[in-house]
Amino acid sequence: MTVTSAPRPATAAGMPPRTSLARKFWRRCLRNPATFLSLMFVVLLALVVVAAPLLGRFDPLEQDLMRAFRPPDGQHWFGTDRFGQDIYSRVVHGARLSLAVGFFSVLMGLTAGVGIGLTAGFFGGVTDELLMRFIDVLLAFPGILLAILIVSVLGSSLLNVIVALAVFSVPIFARMARGSVLATKNLEYVDAARAVGAATARILLRHIVPNILGPIVVYATLRMASAILGGATLSFLGMGLAPPAPEWGLMVALGRQQVQSAPHVVFFPGLSIFLTVLAFNLLGDALRDVIDPRSKPV
Amino acid sequence: MAPTILVVATLTFVALNVVPGDLAVMLAGVDARAEDVARLRALYGLDRPIVVRYLDWLAALGRGDLGISSSLRAPVAELVAARLPATLSLAFASMAVATAMGIALGSWSARRAGSIVDASVLVASQVGLAVPNFWLGILLLIGFAATLPIFPLQGYAALVRDPWAWARHLALPTLVIGVERGAVLTRLVRASLLEEMGRDYVRTARGKGVGDRAILRRHVLRNAAIPVLTVGGLQLGYLLGGAIIVEQVFGIPGLGRLLLQGIYARDLALVQGAVVVIALLFAGVNVLVDVLYTRLDPRIQYAA
């Protein structure tokens, strides 16, 4: 291109200009079909979430026993379930629930985790010891067990599922934030900020948090996948939303009884979970390669 | 390890005992007579202050007494012990599948890093990670138990009584967990092999004329084993309690399913007992992994 770009505003010392990351990511998308497809899928999901009422062909809750267990056809693209509810419309509306669970639980877990990690790392000593022991306790419950316990105590509702999955995300963000504070808090520029009288909160937010924005974005994307899967799993176990909510995991659970005669009832909601989780995972991996190429995939 | 268990036990106790609502009423039913509720309250010791109940429970825990299940009317320790073989079988069989898959695919992919094989293995591992295991389980049941009746639909058979039935019952659930855990291990084996193969000692060995195969087997695999062991151990721990979903789908009478039964029935003692045992197993596996480290890498030492 021959167009001369406007001079870039000076960025903080050592920080690469922002556009290069976006451009690198885009280049990776063009080179790697899996990344491109997952980006497209996530964009599609976002559209579905916004336009669910327009895209859904039927009311997702409307029952009509006369048309129960129809296999997929031109009228009912994904068939109907035992109440005659249109599965395609339910899957489309279910995207809202799944993405809401994923997004808000990650946001909550991220905020709490980063807060805990920054505090522990910056103040050190007893504060650090106490907070990190607390994180260890959260990690002592294997897998989804902690989320199951939390929901069984609080009762099942959308909000409680989000809270339970948020707790599940706290440790990873806390550890990451703490690690990066420990790595940066004794660097000269932080000392300099302190010397000119910057408040602790300002030092943390302006000088330390920007360093971990990259990994935060990467982990948030990856946790979206885990949280969506976790939410569906809780619903499958009967600990998430109650029927007739069009929740994907719940739809799989309810379709189980007649799965031999009507496999489509189970197939499409499960496929939606699968593709959504896959897309977020692939996207998270691509972001990691671009933002933080030295880190190892886990 | 002991402090972790104590904290987990305490947390579980507190969480479950601050449940809103009267447990005795819940057990007896809302329209039960007042004297029945009182009888139940006394029977399960719910009429005592919470601190007393906690200390009692902790003391009993120390003796290996997990209390009496209110829904199954049996000692929790016995119920848990009866469920252990199924869970242990499933966990170890799945980890064997996952480890074999992880090492085979991971090293295959690492040796051809950047090739189409490598890229395909990486995408396949993402697929394995993203498949909801309850969905995969149901699909496998439709295919290989209902449509083609090769494997039994539900249940479990004890290994000592009928090894063949045991294997047939475990085949599909093992596959479901093995694919999921194997996907994680494949990525990890690949990443740690690639990291080790770039190190100086590999170049030195190659310079001395050691063959690729020998370098891989004698040097690289040994060093790459440490992160793999860490994650493998963590996963085995997860599976001891975390096979909940797969146990539920395949109707395997394991620890996870017992816990779910307890939760559905609001059976306090059962839930507490199952959670503590799961946490104990999880912590135990982690200790075992730490011991294995020192065997694999003599540089690692723990202060007593």
Side-chain angles (χ1 to χ4, degrees):
Chain A
M1 282 210 282
T2 52
V3 185
T4 50
S5 55
R8 284 213 180 84
T11 48
M15 292 276 277
R18 270 166 180 258
T19 46
S20 77
L21 275 184
R23 202 172 297 161
K24 261 198 226 159
F25 182 71
W26 183 240
R27 220 177 290 147
R28 152 114 190 191
C29 282
L30 295 181
R31 217 178 41 234
N32 188 323
T35 310
F36 183 76
L37 287 177
S38 35
L39 182 66
M40 289 299 109
F41 191 79
V42 170
V43 170
L44 177 78
L45 273 176
L47 287 177
V48 168
V49 166
V50 174
L54 300 174
L55 292 169
R57 294 157 52 82
F58 295 84
D59 177 347
L61 301 181
E62 186 194 312
Q63 302 189 358
D64 178 358
L65 293 176
M66 296 301 289
R67 53 165 209 229
F69 290 129
R70 293 257 178 90
D73 58 25
Q75 179 80 1
H76 300 286
W77 293 348
F78 294 172
T80 60
D81 63 14
R82 71 169 125 171
F83 300 116
Q85 295 169 316
D86 179 54
I87 293 174
Y88 166 75
S89 310
R90 288 173 66 74
V91 164
V92 163
H93 279 86
R96 288 185 156 184
L97 291 175
S98 285
L99 289 183
V101 165
F103 182 79
F104 289 108
S105 69
V106 171
L107 189 66
M108 213 186 265
L110 186 162
T111 314
V114 170
I116 290 174
L118 288 179
T119 314
F122 197 81
F123 295 104
V126 184
T127 318
D128 185 28
E129 187 67 22
L130 279 176
L131 286 174
M132 293 327 278
R133 279 293 89 78
F134 170 69
I135 295 296
D136 285 346
V137 170
L138 294 184
L139 289 171
F141 293 90
I144 201 169
L145 182 61
L146 185 61
I148 290 179
L149 272 185
I150 292 174
V151 174
S152 70
V153 169
L154 296 180
S156 37
S157 71
L158 186 60
L159 180 66
N160 292 344
V161 168
I162 290 174
V163 170
L165 293 169
V167 174
F168 191 44
S169 281
V170 166
I172 192 165
F173 286 109
R175 289 194 160 181
M176 184 180 70
R178 176 173 177 271
S180 96
V181 176
L182 291 182
T184 49
K185 78 169 174 184
N186 292 323
L187 293 184
E188 276 174 26
Y189 78 90
V190 175
D191 281 342
R194 200 176 291 134
V196 297
T200 306
R202 186 183 162 84
I203 294 177
L204 283 173
L205 291 178
R206 296 282 309 218
H207 299 288
I208 291 181
V209 168
N211 288 313
I212 49 171
L213 275 184
I216 286 180
V217 170
V218 171
Y219 278 109
T221 313
L222 294 171
R223 289 313 287 188
M224 270 292 277
S226 324
I228 289 171
L229 190 56
T233 304
L234 285 177
S235 292
F236 175 79
L237 292 176
M239 299 192 177
L241 297 176
E247 209 284 337
W248 293 341
L250 183 62
M251 289 164 75
V252 173
L254 295 178
R256 249 184 96 190
Q257 270 84 41
Q258 295 84 15
V259 73
Q260 274 171 263
S261 53
H264 63 270
V265 180
V266 163
F267 183 76
F268 290 103
L271 186 68
S272 316
I273 304 170
F274 167 48
L275 292 179
T276 306
V277 173
L278 182 62
F280 276 104
N281 268 335
L282 287 172
L283 209 58
D285 260 15
L287 283 172
R288 172 173 35 218
D289 289 350
V290 171
I291 292 176
D292 190 10
R294 287 175 56 85
S295 69
K296 282 187 288 183
V298 177
Chain B
M1 180 175 159
T4 316
I5 297 301
L6 184 65
V7 175
V8 167
T10 307
L11 206 70
T12 312
F13 183 89
V14 171
L16 291 168
N17 282 277
V18 295
V19 186
D22 190 329
L23 273 162
V25 174
M26 237 183 277
L27 286 171
V30 270
D31 44 359
R33 289 176 306 169
E35 56 260 44
D36 288 336
V37 174
R39 200 171 48 80
L40 272 175
R41 193 171 284 139
L43 180 62
Y44 292 108
L46 294 170
D47 50 352
R48 295 166 307 154
I50 187 162
V51 178
V52 176
R53 270 155 59 200
Y54 170 66
L55 291 175
D56 259 13
W57 179 66
L58 219 53
L61 196 65
R63 296 190 305 266
D65 175 6
L66 298 174
I68 307 282
S69 152
S70 58
S71 60
L72 298 172
R73 317 216 174 244
V76 174
E78 273 174 31
L79 292 168
V80 167
R83 301 299 187 102
L84 271 180
T87 292
L88 290 177
S89 303
L90 183 58
F92 280 99
S94 312
M95 270 327 281
V97 170
T99 312
M101 186 178 135
I103 291 177
L105 285 179
S107 49
W108 190 40
S109 164
R111 259 186 292 162
R112 290 166 185 73
S115 71
I116 190 93
V117 168
D118 182 34
S120 319
V121 169
L122 278 181
V123 171
S125 71
Q126 285 287 15
V127 169
L129 276 177
V131 174
N133 48 21
F134 52 91
W135 184 63
L136 180 62
I138 293 173
L139 293 185
L140 285 175
L141 280 177
I142 302 178
F144 299 104
T147 313
L148 298 172
I150 304 172
F151 297 105
L153 270 169
Q154 297 277 299
Y156 174 75
L159 174 63
V160 283
R161 207 168 304 155
D162 187 349
W164 177 236
W166 174 81
R168 277 179 19 120
H169 276 102
L170 283 182
L172 293 180
T174 298
L175 185 66
V176 171
I177 303 179
V179 163
E180 186 195 20
R181 298 293 118 191
V184 181
L185 285 181
T186 300
R187 300 173 71 76
L188 191 76
V189 167
R190 177 186 173 274
S192 38
L193 280 181
L194 283 181
E195 190 172 317
E196 287 300 325
M197 285 197 297
R199 293 207 191 255
D200 287 345
Y201 73 86
V202 173
R203 207 180 43 200
T204 308
R206 206 164 268 154
K208 286 195 311 188
V210 183
D212 271 358
R213 207 163 258 278
I215 292 179
L216 195 66
R217 219 180 31 232
R218 289 243 293 276
H219 301 286
V220 175
L221 275 179
R222 209 181 164 121
N223 282 302
I226 291 184
V228 175
L229 187 68
T230 313
V231 174
L234 267 176
Q235 298 206 328
L236 182 64
Y238 268 38
L239 287 184
L240 292 173
I244 298 176
I245 300 126
V246 171
E247 284 181 2
Q248 185 75 356
V249 169
F250 289 94
I252 296 171
L255 206 50
R257 200 140 177 266
L258 184 70
L259 174 70
L260 279 183
Q261 264 175 287
I263 290 176
Y264 294 142
R266 291 244 155 245
D267 187 335
L268 205 60
L270 187 55
V271 175
Q272 283 169 354
V275 170
V276 169
V277 171
I278 289 171
L280 193 74
L281 288 170
F282 188 42
V285 171
N286 286 344
V287 169
L288 209 65
V289 168
D290 284 348
V291 173
L292 276 177
Y293 276 165
T294 53
R295 301 296 296 273
L296 271 174
D297 187 345
R299 285 170 301 181
I300 300 175
Q301 270 176 7
Y302 294 97

